[in-house]
Amino acid sequence: MAGLFDKQAEIYVEARPTYPKEWYSKLAALTPQHSLAWDAGTGNGQAALGLSEHYQQVVATDISEEQLKYAIQHPRIRYIHTPTSLSEDEMVNLIGGGHENSLDLITVAEAVHWFDLPQFYSLAKRLLRKPGGIIAVWAYNRMLVNPEFDPVFDRFRENCIPFTHPNSKYVRAGYKTLPFPFESVGMGREGEPLTLEIPKEVSFQGVERMLRSYSAVIRAKDQGVDMLSEEVIKEFERAWGGRDLVRSFKYEAFMLVGKL
């Protein structure tokens, strides 16, 4: 099981985007203090690592204990397993050391759409420093490669919709429909997220492995539906320009940043 999870983590890193360092710099510039940040839904810890360059301590949490075993280690990052059974008061104790009004920054990278939003926002409002605390959430939803590849990818995404989680609708809409009850600081607002791009370079083999790791593809396969048949893969490969070709492309991303 661990070997399988390790391989999935390797696939994820290979073709999924690396968030630009300037994102963290811009967010850090918004907070007057840089003592404590919380990265919720941290996954492999990519965002937590970026925050560690700007904050004295980063608390990084995830409901998946297995995933945290593979998170990137750093002396300023403290990883905490936070099962959904924890109460709000227990979360305050774990993340803020029992103190409300203690966090300079909260980030959620590619995960907030999975959360119980009212519950998470209630916790965030208790933990954010007042004034001065900032919350930022972001995600990505499309690969922008070329006029040949992009329509194939968009059609594939549409075909996957029946096998996606209902909350995936927020990602497909580019977070334009995501509730975000915070005051704008000039980097997107509820209903009007900031649009961004993330550069990436990878071979088609990397792209194929990434596509096969999609939760909707795995869910469909469990139901006896192959979203990546040989015919679909060949169509993707032709549009890419060859199996071994390495291309530079961009992911379409979006961000919402706010304060209390």
Side-chain angles (χ1 to χ4, degrees), residues 4 21 27 48 88 104 123 143 186 189 225:
L4 175 61
K21 288 187 175 183
L27 293 174
E88 188 171 294
D104 301 303
L123 176 61
M143 295 172 62
R189 65 178 71 244
V225 179

Side-chain angles (χ1 to χ4, degrees), residues 108-117 120-121 137-140 165-172 175 178-179 254:
V108 191
E110 192 66 27
V112 77
H113 47 277
W114 304 122
F115 293 0
D116 179 321
L117 293 175
F120 171 67
Y121 289 149
V137 302
W138 66 83
Y140 59 92
H165 189 281
N167 283 12
S168 295
K169 64 185 179 183
Y170 294 128
V171 179
R172 291 196 300 274
Y175 276 9
L178 181 79
F254 31 91

Side-chain angles (χ1 to χ4, degrees), residues 73-116:
Q73 300 301 308
H74 189 281
R76 286 197 291 276
I77 302 176
R78 180 163 59 98
Y79 289 103
I80 304 175
H81 175 225
T82 51
T84 55
S85 58
L86 292 178
S87 69
E88 188 171 294
D89 287 342
E90 288 174 318
M91 291 289 286
V92 170
N93 286 332
L94 283 172
I95 297 165
H99 302 291
E100 299 186 13
N101 189 33
S102 59
L103 297 185
D104 301 303
L105 176 65
I106 297 174
T107 58
V108 191
E110 192 66 27
V112 77
H113 47 277
W114 304 122
F115 293 0
D116 179 321

Side-chain angles (χ1 to χ4, degrees), residues 10-98:
E10 179 183 330
I11 291 170
Y12 184 94
V13 171
E14 178 181 17
R16 300 294 174 101
T18 300
Y19 309 125
K21 288 187 175 183
E22 56 264 30
W23 289 11
Y24 307 112
S25 301
K26 290 179 179 179
L27 293 174
L30 294 173
T31 65
Q33 299 187 51
H34 299 85
S35 299
L36 180 60
W38 171 31
D39 183 45
T42 195
N44 71 347
Q46 181 192 158
L49 185 65
L51 295 176
S52 70
E53 297 183 10
H54 302 278
Y55 293 86
Q56 294 174 22
Q57 184 181 9
V58 179
V59 175
T61 64
D62 205 285
I63 64 171
S64 171
E65 190 172 20
E66 184 69 21
Q67 189 149 18
L68 289 177
K69 294 178 182 178
Y70 297 87
I72 307 164
Q73 300 301 308
H74 189 281
R76 286 197 291 276
I77 302 176
R78 180 163 59 98
Y79 289 103
I80 304 175
H81 175 225
T82 51
T84 55
S85 58
L86 292 178
S87 69
E88 188 171 294
D89 287 342
E90 288 174 318
M91 291 289 286
V92 170
N93 286 332
L94 283 172
I95 297 165

